[in-house]
Amino acid sequence: MPVPGKLAHRLRLHYLRVRAGAARPQTGGPPVDDRDFPDPFVLRVGSTYFAYATNAGGANVQVMRSADLTGWEALPDALPVLPSWAGPGRTWAPAVLPLGDRYLLYYTVREPTSDRQCVSVATARTPAGPFADNGTGPLVFQLERGGSIDPSPFVDHDGTAYLLWKSDDNAFERASRLWGQPLAADGLALSGTPTELLRHDRDWERPLIEAPAMVCVDGVYYLFYSARWWESADYAVGYAIALAPLGPFLKVTNTRPWMMTGGPAAGPGGQELFRHADGALWMAYHGWTPGRVGYGVGGARSLRLSRLVFPGGCPSAGA
């Protein structure tokens, strides 16, 4: 979408600074845990870290706990019972927002009548759950766009909470899109109308973009996203920048990814952001082990963690 006047000038100046500081595309790190743990989200509660992931091993929502980001303990299913209106087997990309005295779990689940994906929300009093979804239907369901997946909450510096997600337009062979919308005060509903943030429009992203995740650094909003096909070594991460949480956004990764296959990680993606106890910003993401890409060859999308810094405005991930 077009960026108006003075805003375009400010954003363009920052874009040029970022591009000037940009180095080679980043690569993923080694796993901190070997199990299959796709689309990870890490939440710090005090000095304890909780990691959530897509369904596997019989759990609708996997959850692990760690005191140091190195050793991880598997906990019981965070969402043991799906709502009555939802179907099993496709419960993906969970993300948790602390709000008041409870925790809100946003997750992707199948709507069985249409056999399409949608976004719902569940609540719990503790970060490990069990979470319960008492809604009578989805929170976000763009059926006309093929469905909705990959919810990610973002809280701005003024306390306003937003929900980001992807519309599954690629199911209809159309360009997939990323969306954002303010959340209501209780986090159980949306406020206002959705805003399109990005769409698949670069050659390197084929066939789609997905998995939005946002952070604000020095007044600039960085929107990270995954692109290409998830069950391949081509899966990769790109990003865009804006001066407001709902954009307009300007893509920085126009011709190549920011993070891609390299070293001990193949097809990195499904990224989310969290703060370490020391205040440092970290990225959680999954990656295949090189040579074992795909479930058909016994591969696993294991949890990876990288510290994120912004030298000259350019994000850089490292151990």
Side-chain angles (χ1 to χ4, degrees):
M1 66 182 65
V3 183
K6 293 181 179 178
L7 179 62
H9 179 66
R10 290 177 59 201
L11 197 54
R12 184 67 182 173
L13 288 176
H14 185 80
Y15 171 81
L16 291 173
R17 286 197 298 271
V18 168
R19 293 301 298 168
R24 298 175 183 174
Q26 302 295 306
T27 57
V32 296
D33 189 273
D34 290 332
R35 76 195 76 196
D36 190 44
F37 207 75
D39 309 311
F41 182 94
V42 174
L43 173 71
R44 181 177 60 84
V45 180
S47 60
T48 303
Y49 301 89
F50 294 85
Y52 309 84
T54 282
N55 54 203
N60 291 316
V61 172
Q62 299 185 78
V63 59
M64 301 192 297
R65 179 172 55 200
S66 176
D68 57 9
L69 297 178
T70 301
W72 291 88
E73 172 195 7
L75 301 177
D77 191 343
L79 184 66
V81 179
L82 295 178
S84 59
W85 56 264
R90 298 186 203 167
T91 310
W92 305 338
V96 176
L97 173 67
L99 192 62
D101 62 351
R102 62 182 176 177
Y103 297 86
L104 278 65
L105 171 74
Y106 300 96
Y107 67 101
T108 306
V109 71
R110 183 170 65 94
E111 197 288 311
T113 303
S114 63
D115 198 30
R116 298 289 184 185
Q117 297 295 90
C118 61
V119 171
S120 194
V121 59
T123 63
R125 293 295 179 181
T126 65
F131 288 83
D133 187 336
N134 298 314
T136 58
L139 174 65
V140 182
F141 189 25
Q142 297 160 298
L143 180 57
E144 74 285 358
R145 293 188 172 277
S148 307
I149 67 171
D150 296 346
S152 179
F154 168 74
V155 180
D156 204 0
H157 57 82
D158 64 357
T160 303
Y162 298 84
L163 189 67
L164 316 178
W165 71 90
K166 174 221 175 180
S167 56
D168 249 350
D169 306 82
N170 51 281
F172 296 151
E173 298 185 356
R174 300 195 299 245
S176 57
R177 291 164 166 80
L178 305 182
W179 301 82
Q181 190 170 348
L183 283 160
D186 64 2
L188 298 177
L190 294 165
S191 177
T193 57
T195 298
E196 181 184 326
L197 307 180
L198 290 180
R199 67 177 64 184
H200 164 216
D201 57 7
R202 299 294 188 268
D203 286 343
W204 78 262
E205 300 166 344
R206 291 178 182 171
L208 54 83
I209 65 170
E210 57 190 6
M214 189 185 296
V215 66
C216 183
V217 177
D218 296 331
V220 177
Y221 295 81
Y222 293 79
L223 177 58
F224 293 89
Y225 62 94
S226 300
R228 301 176 171 169
W229 186 244
W230 65 272
E231 198 172 17
S232 77
D234 292 333
Y235 205 50
V237 179
Y239 74 97
I241 55 175
L243 298 176
L246 295 180
F249 280 88
L250 183 64
K251 282 186 181 177
V252 178
T253 48
N254 287 298
T255 60
R256 63 186 187 184
W258 168 73
M259 177 184 282
M260 63 182 188
T261 291
Q271 70 293 323
E272 282 283 7
L273 305 157
F274 69 97
R275 290 283 178 183
H276 191 277
D278 65 7
L281 183 66
W282 284 66
M283 176 177 282
Y285 54 98
H286 67 241
W288 304 94
T289 298
R292 296 183 64 191
V293 176
Y295 291 116
V297 296
R301 289 182 284 170
S302 50
L303 174 62
R304 324 280 171 132
L305 301 173
S306 290
R307 189 171 183 268
L308 202 59
V309 293
F310 291 79
C314 178
S316 177

